[in-house]
């Protein structure tokens, strides 16, 4: 197969130029200007579009096993390829949780049967994600886990987390923090501030996130375990990251589209459709995060794709489910948040960096790499959740016009989303 006429943007080489890409048996075999199609070779016309190493979303909730009404491996990975993702890393807050090698093996069977993109499991740090005793990270890594997290929950007991990090020190794959102090958060339904007070609802202060990020980075520094902060949302957490890294801590972090684009005002306008953890913050936080993406302090774009049914998201703020779908809007939403971000940096955040952090194939289209390719273009489109492949049809971006579209997705040399 030949992907012809596109602008190849690959930060791993680095290259940003018009180049054709030839694929054979699922692998990139040749890159060049004006490659001539061979007899019978299929050609994908990428003129006017950008050809990039396949996007990797290292933070998704696929809900299987346990919650097939919200999402399955089949529907979630279809949403992924429609969003331009050739690989996703799925969080372990399933039922049962992904906390043993047997559970990872049964997930792998479902993935082999149903998935249309690559799926890498993230295993739980503690058994059943209860925060009491830690899992066997070595055994989980041998069964395919690429990282460890109790995402959805914070491991509130610092002794448990430190013991887990010490036990996993020699195991590949970072620990990933969901950073919210449960006691400071209480029964909050949004961020604490002017809007929560105006609405008269309980809010979670920014310091609930800052304090856990500071704690976890201290444990990272002491234990030497590689660490990643999920869905960073506050100025204080970002400053903690920058300070820790300046002093030698091995840590990375990600930001979601919603924390870059939206503030707590969205809760006033959209109600439960904008309810998410960590909650949408104030404009100062969103602006600081956008600046941090530009100046290199943020490593990864991740969606925290968290599908629920419309019924679960309906109703008052206190009872509605937390989180919303993200895979199918991500590429457009990131472009809306950061219209001037250089494309090499855009692709680095969506592909090269998550591959490196998780230690998985991809993130590059160098000759010999897997032919996982995302093709996108500067074409505006309007978000219509009814057309999502995801079972989660709720997003705060419904009806918004987004400036960048996914044109095609190729996974292992096979077309997963046609142009
Ligand atoms: Zn989380």
């Amino acid at each position: 197969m030949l992907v012809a006429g596109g602008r190849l943007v690959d930060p791993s080489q680095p290259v940003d130029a018009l180049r054709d890409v030839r694929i054979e048996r699922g692998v990139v075999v040749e890159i060049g200007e004006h490659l001539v199609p061979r007899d019978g070779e299929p050609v994908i016309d990428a003129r006017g579009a950008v050809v990039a190493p396949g996007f990797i979303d290292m933070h998704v909730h696929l809900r299987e096993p346990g919650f097939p009404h919200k999402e399955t491996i089949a529907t979630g990975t279809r949403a992924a390829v429609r969003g331009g993702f050739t690989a996703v890393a799925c969080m372990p807050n399933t039922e049962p949780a992904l906390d043993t090698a047997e559970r990872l093996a049964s997930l792998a069977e479902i993935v082999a049967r149903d998935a249309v993109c690559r799926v890498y499991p993230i295993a739980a740090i503690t058994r059943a994600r209860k925060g009491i005793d830690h899992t066997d990270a070595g055994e989980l890594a041998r069964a395919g886990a690429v990282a460890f997290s109790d995402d959805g929950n914070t491991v509130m007991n610092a002794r448990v987390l430190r013991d887990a990090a010490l036990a996993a020190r020699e195991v590949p794959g970072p620990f990933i923090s969901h950073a919210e102090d449960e006691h400071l958060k209480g029964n909050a339904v949004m961020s604490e501030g002017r809007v929560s007070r105006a609405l008269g609802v309980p809010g979670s202060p920014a310091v609930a996130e800052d304090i856990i990020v500071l704690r976890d980075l201290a444990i990272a520094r002491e234990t030497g375990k590689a660490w990643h902060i999920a869905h960073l949302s506050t100025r204080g957490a970002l400053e903690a990251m920058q300070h820790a890294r300046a002093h030698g801590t091995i840590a990375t972090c990600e930001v979601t589209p919603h924390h870059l684009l939206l503030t707590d005002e969205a809760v006033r306008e959209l109600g439960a459709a904008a309810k998410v953890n960590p909650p949408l913050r104030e404009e100062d936080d969103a602006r600081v995060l956008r600046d941090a993406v530009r100046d290199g302090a943020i490593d990864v774009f991740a969606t925290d794709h968290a599908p629920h049914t419309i019924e679960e998201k309906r109703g008052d703020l206190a009872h509605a489910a937390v989180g919303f779908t993200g895979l199918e809007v991500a590429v457009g939403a990131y472009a809306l948040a950061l219209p001037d971000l250089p494309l090499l940096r855009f692709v680095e955040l969506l592909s090269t960096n998550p591959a490196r952090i998780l230690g998985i194939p991809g993130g590059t289209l160098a000759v010999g790499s897997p032919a996982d390719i995302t093709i996108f273009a500067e074409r505006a489109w309007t978000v219509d959740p009814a057309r999502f492949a995801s079972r989660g049809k709720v997003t705060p971006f419904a009806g918004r016009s987004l400036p960048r579209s996914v044109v095609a997705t190729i996974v292992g040399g096979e077309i997963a989303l046609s142009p």
Side-chain angles (χ1 to χ4, degrees):
M1 182 193 299
L2 195 61
V3 179
R7 173 180 167 189
L8 177 64
V9 175
D10 181 354
S12 77
Q13 308 205 33
V15 58
D16 180 355
L18 290 177
R19 290 285 185 277
D20 300 338
V21 179
R22 173 163 282 132
I23 301 164
E24 281 176 13
R25 290 178 297 280
V27 173
V28 176
V29 295
E30 190 178 7
I31 292 171
E33 294 176 70
H34 312 300
L35 299 182
V36 179
R38 295 178 182 145
D39 263 1
E41 185 176 36
V43 176
I44 294 187
D45 182 0
R47 283 176 298 176
V50 174
V51 177
F55 293 165
I56 298 165
D57 190 345
M58 66 179 284
H59 191 150
V60 305
H61 299 274
L62 294 179
R63 308 298 194 200
E64 191 173 5
F67 309 96
H69 58 290
K70 297 177 191 279
E71 195 79 291
T72 63
I73 300 292
T75 59
T77 58
R78 276 162 184 80
V81 298
R82 288 179 62 148
F85 294 97
T86 58
V88 297
C90 59
M91 284 296 178
N93 62 336
T94 49
E95 187 53 51
L98 304 178
D99 60 358
T100 65
E102 294 71 40
R103 282 169 186 161
L104 290 180
S106 64
L107 181 78
E109 281 176 30
I110 305 171
V111 167
R113 188 187 68 209
D114 293 346
V116 296
C117 70
R118 303 181 200 272
V119 176
Y120 297 98
I122 296 168
I125 291 174
T126 67
R127 299 204 183 278
R129 300 172 51 257
K130 288 188 184 301
I132 297 167
D133 44 13
H134 68 76
T135 55
D136 185 338
E139 175 192 285
L140 291 163
R142 284 188 293 279
V146 296
F148 304 89
S149 182
D150 277 5
D151 185 55
N153 295 346
T154 298
V155 181
M156 281 303 297
N157 185 323
R159 173 181 286 274
V160 171
L161 185 63
R162 178 173 180 261
D163 286 348
L166 287 169
R169 197 160 38 174
E170 307 301 325
V171 177
F175 273 29
I176 302 178
S177 293
H178 175 109
E180 288 188 296
D181 184 288
E182 281 176 13
H183 309 293
L184 285 168
K185 181 183 163 198
N187 61 348
V189 299
M190 64 180 297
S191 191
E192 181 183 288
R194 197 173 39 81
V195 179
S196 72
R197 285 189 288 274
L199 297 177
V201 297
S204 180
V207 72
E209 176 169 332
D210 305 349
I211 206 164
I212 295 297
V213 171
L214 284 160
R215 183 200 71 171
D216 288 8
L217 292 173
I219 293 174
R221 178 163 70 174
E222 189 222 12
T223 62
K225 181 67 193 156
W227 220 282
H228 180 81
I229 305 295
H231 41 50
L232 191 135
S233 79
T234 66
R235 173 190 279 273
L238 179 71
E239 288 171 356
M241 268 298 299
Q242 289 171 308
H243 182 269
R245 292 216 278 203
H247 293 81
T249 303
I250 303 164
T252 53
C253 65
E254 71 191 29
V255 68
T256 69
H258 44 278
H259 289 114
L260 290 172
L261 274 169
L262 303 173
T263 67
D264 52 1
E265 287 291 343
V267 180
R268 197 204 297 269
E269 289 165 34
L270 303 171
K275 183 182 179 186
V276 65
N277 285 339
L280 300 170
R281 305 292 186 181
E282 296 180 344
E283 180 52 31
D284 173 65
D285 298 291
R287 187 173 42 75
V288 164
L289 293 179
R290 291 193 297 269
D291 290 344
V293 172
R294 288 191 200 94
D295 70 21
I298 303 280
D299 302 283
V300 168
F301 281 159
T303 66
D304 190 9
H305 177 79
H308 298 285
T309 64
I310 289 172
E311 291 71 29
E312 290 166 327
K313 287 296 282 180
R314 202 172 270 151
D316 64 291
L317 267 176
H319 297 100
V322 181
F324 38 74
T325 185
L327 284 164
E328 289 166 87
V329 300
V331 163
Y334 284 120
L336 181 65
L338 292 149
D340 302 324
L341 191 71
L343 286 181
L344 276 167
R345 178 92 179 109
F346 181 78
V347 174
E348 182 180 55
L349 287 149
L350 277 163
S351 180
T352 311
N353 283 355
R356 176 176 49 80
I357 290 164
L358 296 177
I360 59 177
T364 178
L365 290 179
V367 169
S369 310
D372 290 2
I373 300 177
T374 302
I375 304 176
F376 62 91
E378 305 306 302
R379 280 179 213 148
W381 61 290
T382 300
V383 178
D384 177 6
R387 301 182 60 178
F388 285 171
S390 173
R391 289 204 171 143
K393 309 292 186 195
V394 176
T395 162
F397 299 113
R400 290 280 285 265
S401 176
L402 303 179
R404 186 169 293 164
S405 316
V406 176
V407 174
T409 309
I410 299 171
V411 181
E414 305 286 333
I415 295 174
L417 178 74
S418 305

